[in-house]
Amino acid sequence: MIGRSLVMLALVGAAPLPLPTYKAAESIAGPDGAGWDYAAVDPDARRIYVAHGDAVTTASLKATGVATSIGAISHGHAVVPIPHTRLLLVTSGRDSTVRLIDAVSGAERANLAVGKNPDAAIVDPATGHVLVMNAESGTISEIDAGKNGSKAMVVRTITVKPALEFAAIGGKRTLFVNNEDANEIDTVDLTTGKTGVPIAMPGCEAPTGLAYDARTDRLISACANGKAAIVDATKRRLVSLLEIGSGPDAVILDAPRRLAFIPCGRDGVLEILSLDAPGGINRIASVKTEMGARTGALDPVTGAIYLPTARYGPLVPGTKRPPALPGSFHILVVRPVARS
């Protein structure tokens, strides 16, 4: 049981770094459901959202309480707050749709067919459109949410290749997308819609989470084999591989605080990377979290990280992972500790 977790810090390199201090502070109880995937914070609404089975789990960031469920989806993967609206776009993997739902009531405003098994989704800040990675089809659906969901439409479909995972936008309107099967980052020119040369990541197996830091022009990719791949986005080459815990599924960037976080669900640790470490991006700390905490979202206002997870029973023979115990789903909150 995690109540007050110790932070294990490790300096990298000779030069001393101002070390951050974080701890697993509390948790928010939530409703049962099937598996969960990506989470997102809406800093304006002061809420967190988690794609959780066949609904969206949501909770207030203002005070620790109980999370509730809204909306109806079919095996949700990602939930994206649409800027300047009260809409959420949710990818519905089992029926190959995206749903636009009201962030307060959960009422469905639009239902759009996309490629097979839509997974990750991100907002393109240049257009306000949402880019949806259709994992099995190997396509990207560009969604215009319209006004409050009315006249929502797929404005463009870009063909890449199957096994697309999380994505990030950097440089001159380039979309970078992890490819879980090819162990590479696929690239797309968002102006023309044309694909470019993939970025090979030897030593990185089954990459999922991805983030881009504009100041260093670096991509951080979370690899299933306990590595974080650091990639030069302009030169399109792997720079280094960092040792991290096992079972990562997200990279959470806190650019103003010059940190990145990688939740590793199999080992139950949150890895902390300095974006400005001597010699380049490097791992500087680990926070003990909980098994299963593999994705999450950052509150940019407070710097807190929200990690959905559950408690687990024993592994059943013939299965890959232990079952979540009924009534145990919760969102673990990891907070920065104020310095005296």
Side-chain angles (χ1 to χ4, degrees):
M1 178 178 179
I2 302 297
R4 292 180 173 272
S5 295
L6 297 179
V7 181
M8 301 169 289
L9 301 175
L11 279 173
V12 180
L17 293 173
L19 294 176
T21 304
Y22 286 79
K23 70 174 182 180
E26 75 262 5
S27 64
I28 303 169
D32 272 342
W36 57 90
D37 209 338
Y38 293 113
V41 161
D42 185 335
D44 296 327
R46 307 302 297 141
R47 298 197 70 83
I48 180 170
Y49 304 97
V50 182
H52 186 192
D54 293 335
V56 173
T57 293
T58 178
S60 172
L61 304 182
K62 295 179 182 178
T64 301
V66 176
T68 58
S69 289
I70 60 172
I73 48 180
S74 183
H75 192 67
H77 282 295
V79 53
V80 179
I82 307 297
H84 314 302
T85 74
R86 53 184 279 172
L87 289 177
L88 303 173
L89 181 145
V90 191
T91 58
S92 186
R94 193 171 290 124
D95 62 3
S96 300
T97 65
V98 297
R99 316 281 181 92
L100 289 166
I101 67 173
D102 186 286
V104 177
S105 68
E108 186 174 291
R109 303 303 184 199
N111 185 316
L112 303 173
V114 291
K116 195 170 183 180
N117 193 19
D119 195 341
I122 63 171
V123 174
D124 179 357
T127 62
H129 295 170
V130 181
L131 303 169
V132 175
M133 316 306 137
N134 302 309
E136 258 185 84
S137 297
T139 60
I140 298 168
S141 299
E142 183 174 347
I143 309 293
D144 182 348
K147 185 177 181 180
N148 294 321
S150 63
K151 299 183 179 178
M153 66 180 70
V154 179
V155 298
R156 179 169 61 165
T157 300
I158 301 169
T159 300
V160 187
K161 66 180 70 164
L164 301 179
E165 278 286 339
F166 209 77
I169 298 173
K172 298 179 180 179
R173 300 274 295 134
T174 300
L175 181 71
F176 299 95
V177 190
N178 271 334
N179 190 295
E180 191 173 21
D181 289 351
N183 300 334
E184 67 186 22
I185 297 176
D186 294 324
T187 64
V188 177
D189 184 325
L190 287 174
T191 301
T192 65
K194 295 181 178 179
T195 57
V197 177
I199 304 170
M201 294 190 292
C204 171
E205 298 176 8
T208 51
L210 186 69
Y212 171 75
D213 177 45
R215 187 183 299 181
T216 60
D217 191 40
R218 294 293 188 264
L219 293 154
I220 305 169
S221 182
C223 316
N225 59 326
K227 307 285 185 183
I230 310 302
V231 172
D232 185 316
T234 296
K235 294 182 179 178
R236 309 287 173 92
R237 65 178 181 84
L238 179 69
V239 173
S240 62
L241 287 172
L242 308 179
E243 295 287 340
I244 60 171
S246 62
D249 204 16
V251 179
I252 304 165
L253 197 73
D254 189 348
R257 295 175 180 86
R258 307 306 298 147
L259 296 170
F261 303 87
I262 303 179
C264 301
R266 193 166 296 129
D267 285 348
V269 295
L270 178 68
E271 305 286 22
I272 304 179
L273 279 58
S274 169
L275 301 177
D276 297 327
I281 295 171
N282 223 323
R283 174 183 170 275
I284 58 169
S286 287
V287 179
K288 183 63 181 173
T289 57
E290 296 181 21
M291 180 181 172
R294 68 186 190 279
T295 67
L298 171 86
D299 177 5
V301 176
T302 65
I305 303 103
Y306 292 79
L307 307 171
T309 190
R311 290 184 293 277
Y312 291 86
L315 183 67
V316 178
T319 62
K320 294 182 178 180
R321 62 187 66 174
L325 296 175
S328 70
F329 176 82
H330 57 283
I331 302 171
L332 185 67
V333 186
V334 177
R335 296 189 184 277
V337 179
R339 298 181 180 224
S340 58

